[in-house]
Amino acid sequence: MKLLTHNMLTSHVKGVTKGYPLLIKATEVKTNEVEFNPQFVSRMIPKLEWSALIQAAEELGHRQDLPGELVPDYEKDEEFLKRVHRVLLEVEVIEGFLQCPESGREFPITRGIPNMLLNEEEA
């Protein structure tokens, strides 16, 4: 599961009002090189919840020098875009689980795929 995917996921357990951002409890994380596409990264940044991305990167030990706030004119800052690209697309959780911040419900991540399916009584 890439951190781009994580940034879009939320817990939909019945009764949960604060199901985002999910906490990452990883047992296996890999970094795979992906071709840098500055236009793609620039277009994704406005769709992200920046603080959730920073939190996820910290949980995995991959924040490095990502700033806590978006830099102005980031579209023109290639070094910044490369750092965001690395965290969004190259860091991948292979095994572990996501945890709802409110209910504590755990969603498994197996072979890089998060299973967000709910049991009948949770929906």
Side-chain angles (χ1 to χ4, degrees):
M1 176 194 71
K2 297 183 186 306
L3 294 188
L4 176 60
T5 302
H6 170 263
N7 202 268
M8 311 286 172
L9 296 175
T10 188
S11 172
H12 291 288
V13 173
K14 184 177 8 181
V16 168
T17 57
K18 187 185 180 304
Y20 182 86
L22 296 166
L23 305 173
I24 302 174
K25 307 296 181 187
T27 57
E28 183 181 355
V29 178
K30 288 188 178 173
T31 304
N32 299 311
E33 193 170 316
V34 175
E35 185 178 341
F36 176 58
N37 182 334
Q39 293 81 20
F40 176 78
V41 176
S42 290
R43 281 182 267 154
M44 289 310 300
I45 288 175
K47 297 172 173 51
L48 297 172
E49 179 62 46
W50 188 256
S51 62
L53 177 65
I54 296 301
Q55 177 184 331
E58 279 182 357
E59 288 172 353
L60 298 177
H62 284 274
R63 178 173 176 183
Q64 281 123 359
D65 51 357
L66 271 183
E69 305 279 327
L70 274 176
V71 299
D73 296 325
Y74 60 82
E75 304 92 340
K76 299 173 187 145
D77 186 341
E78 188 164 316
E79 285 309 307
F80 173 75
L81 293 175
K82 283 181 179 179
R83 289 193 298 265
V84 175
H85 161 86
R86 184 180 179 287
V87 169
L88 276 183
L89 301 170
E90 293 185 351
V91 175
E92 188 167 1
V93 178
I94 305 301
E95 300 290 332
F97 61 88
L98 299 171
Q99 185 177 38
C100 174
E102 184 177 326
S103 70
R105 164 68 150 87
E106 294 179 353
F107 300 94
I109 303 167
T110 307
R111 294 190 302 269
I113 301 170
N115 180 349
M116 301 298 293
L117 295 175
L118 298 174
N119 298 321
E120 198 170 305
E121 65 275 3
E122 295 175 308

